[in-house]
């Protein structure tokens, strides 16, 4: 953030004319990205091959939510209840600003309410999505401010005594 502000101040000082500020902002973003080692300004879908996954429900099937096959899925193998978790570990630090959970093929398998937390060390967690519901039979898109992440934790915060939680694929977007 300090680097970004410093770059922006420098660009505005060099190009103070209002008509040029739009291109100056782009230039500042490019310079900031270069300084931070980000290859692309736009977030892209990250490759989840090789990530570690776990869950406190049906852990042996957890890998099916990141296998790249929309015909397979992980499900909780039990009705939804608060505290049910699905975890993803990139085994390296990435910067994320969006997560997608695909539950479209299981209209009843959507998370009734889920909070999303991220960590860089597995000990200290920051909440990036408070507790959002999703729609039946849809892919849920969760947007948040860019965050440095090694691990993601999805935690159910509501129950449904008759529905399992299903995830066909997880999409992670960032740099």
């Amino acid at each position: 953030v300090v680097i970004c502000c410093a770059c922006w101040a420098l660009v505005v000082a060099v190009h103070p004319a209002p008509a040029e500020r739009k291109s100056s902002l782009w230039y500042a973003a490019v310079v900031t990205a270069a300084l931070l080692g980000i290859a692309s300004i736009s977030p892209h879908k990250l490759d989840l091959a090789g990530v570690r996954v776990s869950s406190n429900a049906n852990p042996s099937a957890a890998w099916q939510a990141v296998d790249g096959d929309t015909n397979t899925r992980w499900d909780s193998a039990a009705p939804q209840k608060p505290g049910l978790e699905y975890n993803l570990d990139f085994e390296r630090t990435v910067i994320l600003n969006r997560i997608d959970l695909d539950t479209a093929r299981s209209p009843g398998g959507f998370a009734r309410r889920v909070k999303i937390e991220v960590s860089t060390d597995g000990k200290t967690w920051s909440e990036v999505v408070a507790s959002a519901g999703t729609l039946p039979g849809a892919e849920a898109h969760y947007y948040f401010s860019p965050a440095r992440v090694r691990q993601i934790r999805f935690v159910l915060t509501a129950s449904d005594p008759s529905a399992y939680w299903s995830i066909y694929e997880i999409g992670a977007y960032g740099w």
Side-chain angles (χ1 to χ4, degrees):
V1 174
V2 173
I3 293 171
C4 184
C5 292
C7 289
W8 175 244
L10 178 63
V11 170
V12 170
V14 174
H15 299 289
E20 295 175 3
R21 282 197 181 148
K22 185 175 182 181
S23 63
S24 297
L25 180 58
W26 178 253
Y27 178 74
V30 170
V31 169
T32 302
L35 290 172
L36 294 175
I38 300 171
S40 170
I41 298 300
S42 300
H44 61 278
K45 188 171 185 177
L46 301 178
D47 182 6
L48 299 183
V51 299
R52 281 187 322 153
V53 293
S54 62
S55 176
N56 60 3
N58 198 13
S60 64
W63 65 274
Q64 292 179 319
V66 295
D67 65 356
D69 184 350
T70 57
N71 293 309
T72 63
R73 68 177 174 156
W74 166 83
D75 69 54
S76 58
Q80 294 185 40
K81 63 181 180 180
L84 198 150
E85 288 185 17
Y86 184 94
N87 305 289
L88 190 146
D89 185 341
F90 287 97
E91 298 190 342
R92 71 190 192 324
T93 301
V94 298
I95 299 174
L96 292 182
N97 75 329
R98 173 180 156 194
I99 302 270
D100 293 347
L101 297 180
D102 181 0
T103 61
R105 290 178 176 228
S106 290
F110 65 99
R112 298 313 185 257
R113 293 199 74 69
V114 63
K115 75 177 171 180
I116 302 173
E117 300 172 319
V118 297
S119 176
T120 57
D121 62 8
K123 297 174 187 167
T124 305
W125 295 87
S126 300
E127 192 173 86
V128 293
V129 175
S131 184
T134 56
L135 299 173
E139 185 171 303
H141 306 283
Y142 301 100
Y143 295 87
F144 46 90
S145 297
R148 296 184 72 78
V149 174
R150 177 183 164 142
Q151 297 161 318
I152 305 169
R153 178 165 64 189
F154 305 91
V155 184
L156 288 186
T157 59
S159 61
D160 185 326
S162 62
Y164 290 11
W165 181 22
S166 296
I167 304 173
Y168 280 84
E169 285 300 311
I170 295 175
Y173 294 80
W175 300 268

